[in-house]
Amino acid sequence: MHTAVVWAVECAAWQPSSREFEHLLGFCDATRRNEVLSFKFEMDQRRALLSTLLQRKATCAIARADPSTLQISRTRGRKPYAVLNPPSAEAPNFSFNVSHDGNFVAISAHTHLLCGMDVFAKGDRRPTSFLVDTLSQQSRRYYEGLPLEWQGGYAELLFSVKEAYTKAVGVGLGQELRDISFAPDIPALWSVPFKGTRSGIFKVKIATTETEYVANKSVANDSWSRRTGSEEASILAEPCRTEEWRLEVQWIDSEHLAVMAAGCPLCAVDAWGGFRRQFQHPELVPGKGDEPLFSGVEIVRVEHLLLESDGVRGFMNLFRECLTESEEEDLGMYGGDDSSQQDGSSCAEAGSSFGALAEEDHDVYGGYDPARHGGSSIEINQGLNQLGFNADLYHDGDLSSSCDTDDALGMYL
């Protein structure tokens, strides 16, 4: 059974404190941490961190990777991929891609097909004159036949579709976008907001230097070898066995469009070979018909990106960022000794507060269901009890309802 997801985080609405940001940054390895902090502006640092958390969540939730040994690597073309050891039975050709623009950072992931995505905010792209220069001759004819008021949006859409395709195969903007065309033409109606998903199978054509069209040779042509040299050209991906790609568009809101491309894993360009070696069934191709491959863009909050294995420590460290200084003292999280709160009432209130923040969603850490694990929730007090954490999963000992509230919380902070 195939699994395909698209998750989006509204980064513009996320205003983390320095402690929350540092805590989440702790889930990055040293190399990625330095990459995140290398960005000059705070918003770019947040986007980079959210991208990492999305990749981590998708790999562990969909490919069932062990978070303790999780490794995200990159191809020579800078396409990120998960190093799955042992291989994933649920996701034999696991692929993902992250994109951001405007208010959103998003990821698309697929268990069986090569995938890429692009998010764009309407009117937030390069000038239309630049976008028109990226049109193939075939696409330009279609573009010029549209009403004037449709042309700008359509040029944006085509640029985004081409980016999704080139990011899927792993070449990014190394491929001349004007050399890419689609058959049939991408419908102009996809460029205006609509509900649901628009989906279809398209032939992707790449123009060579001799203007001859070949299917999905991607960078195994002269236009790419001119940029990277003969060494790269000698170890590029072989031409794909299929020229057909599934292309889909979904509007996240009235201003942001998500574009997904999914195709045969044999189309991946991977000079170093690490990504392609992950594929167990690289011959798979997209199915026919107009049925959408991706079920819809799911808007998620930052706390949803933590894993079940991050446990109560991850939960409480994020939760305490929501508290005022006086509430922190009442909870005794930092050594406060308020004996009047040892009956657990403060923790119950804390749990209720977070429950409201989570909109009654007790699965904030990766779909945790205590019944699924055959255990009861921690019997400290009403607050943690209602959150449904299993003591066996987060603590070596056996907590009871007689535990002192502050001591019990201290075990997890």
Side-chain angles (χ1 to χ4, degrees):
M1 181 178 180
H2 296 197
T3 299
V5 301
V6 182
W7 298 332
V9 180
E10 192 173 1
C11 58
W14 182 45
Q15 302 291 327
S17 68
S18 59
R19 286 189 301 175
E20 180 183 354
F21 186 86
E22 186 65 26
H23 172 68
L24 293 173
L25 196 61
F27 294 113
C28 304
D29 60 30
T31 299
R32 183 56 179 165
R33 178 187 177 94
N34 290 336
E35 290 176 348
V36 170
L37 296 178
S38 68
F39 289 98
K40 178 179 180 180
F41 299 107
E42 284 188 12
M43 179 54 72
D44 291 330
Q45 291 183 359
R46 294 176 195 171
R47 286 172 174 149
L49 177 55
L50 290 174
S51 171
T52 302
L53 295 175
L54 281 164
Q55 294 173 49
R56 179 176 181 259
K57 176 72 172 184
T59 304
C60 294
I62 299 172
R64 306 299 182 188
D66 182 349
S68 66
T69 59
L70 176 62
Q71 179 185 353
I72 302 295
S73 188
R74 289 181 180 269
T75 66
R76 184 171 178 175
R78 302 295 294 164
K79 179 178 176 65
Y81 67 93
V83 179
L84 300 177
N85 188 17
S88 171
E90 295 89 348
N93 300 328
F94 183 62
S95 173
F96 62 80
N97 195 227
V98 180
S99 179
H100 71 80
D101 196 24
N103 296 337
F104 290 93
V105 179
I107 189 171
S108 67
H110 200 287
T111 53
H112 290 69
L113 296 176
L114 196 63
C115 73
M117 81 170 302
D118 188 61
V119 172
F120 80 82
K122 287 179 59 178
D124 197 25
R125 286 283 187 173
R126 300 174 177 87
T128 300
S129 59
F130 167 83
L131 298 176
V132 171
D133 288 340
T134 68
L135 299 179
S136 67
Q137 292 182 359
Q138 172 187 327
S139 298
R140 186 182 289 267
R141 289 192 291 269
Y142 184 91
Y143 165 86
E144 291 174 346
L146 295 174
L148 186 62
E149 62 270 21
W150 285 65
Q151 291 182 352
Y154 186 69
E156 285 184 324
L157 170 67
L158 272 187
F159 186 91
S160 193
V161 171
K162 291 180 180 183
E163 279 210 333
Y165 165 75
T166 57
K167 290 167 68 178
V169 298
V171 299
L173 295 180
Q175 170 69 53
E176 285 282 7
L177 297 185
R178 69 169 62 92
D179 291 340
I180 304 174
S181 62
F182 304 95
D185 290 301
I186 305 298
L189 285 173
W190 287 13
S191 65
V192 294
F194 54 80
K195 292 184 179 181
T197 302
R198 298 291 185 268
S199 177
I201 293 291
F202 295 82
K203 292 183 178 181
V204 180
K205 299 179 179 180
I206 309 297
T208 68
T209 53
E210 293 81 16
T211 68
E212 173 188 359
Y213 281 83
V214 292
N216 288 335
K217 286 192 176 180
S218 298
V219 299
N221 59 45
D222 292 342
S223 66
W224 176 260
S225 58
R226 284 200 305 271
R227 290 171 175 73
T228 58
S230 58
E231 176 188 357
E232 178 79 7
S234 66
I235 49 178
L236 289 172
E238 62 187 57
C240 190
R241 296 178 185 176
T242 176
E243 60 183 44
E244 293 186 336
W245 280 70
R246 168 73 62 179
L247 302 177
E248 295 188 358
V249 296
Q250 302 174 21
W251 284 89
I252 301 175
D253 59 21
S254 61
E255 299 297 323
H256 297 81
L257 181 67
V259 179
M260 283 70 66
C264 177
L266 288 175
C267 296
V269 174
D270 181 17
W272 292 335
F275 182 35
R276 287 168 66 92
R277 280 194 295 269
Q278 300 283 312
F279 300 145
Q280 301 173 57
H281 300 289
E283 73 286 351
L284 297 179
V285 299
K288 304 291 185 179
D290 295 327
E291 187 69 21
L293 190 64
F294 296 90
S295 57
V297 178
E298 180 182 358
I299 307 299
V300 297
R301 298 191 304 276
V302 176
E303 57 265 29
H304 285 105
L305 303 183
L306 294 183
L307 306 175
E308 185 176 308
S309 60
D310 296 333
V312 176
R313 177 185 297 274
F315 164 77
M316 294 307 297
N317 279 340
L318 267 188
F319 165 60
R320 68 185 180 185
E321 303 303 334
C322 303
L323 302 179
T324 64
E325 183 176 346
S326 62
E327 288 171 329
E328 288 180 356
E329 292 175 356
D330 286 343
L331 284 172
M333 290 182 180
Y334 303 105
D337 183 17
D338 186 350
S339 59
S340 67
Q341 300 295 335
Q342 291 184 4
D343 60 357
S345 60
S346 64
C347 191
E349 294 170 1
S352 298
S353 299
F354 191 86
L357 289 171
E359 299 175 352
E360 298 182 355
D361 177 8
H362 296 166
D363 281 352
V364 292
Y365 293 99
Y368 173 68
D369 178 2
R372 189 174 70 242
H373 296 273
S376 61
S377 58
I378 299 175
E379 297 178 15
I380 299 177
N381 48 48
Q382 178 185 352
L384 287 182
N385 200 16
Q386 76 175 38
L387 291 171
F389 287 102
N390 188 331
D392 294 336
L393 294 179
Y394 302 109
H395 182 59
D396 293 334
D398 183 19
L399 299 178
S400 68
S401 58
S402 62
C403 288
D404 177 273
T405 300
D406 291 342
D407 287 345
L409 287 173
M411 295 176 184
Y412 300 104
L413 294 175

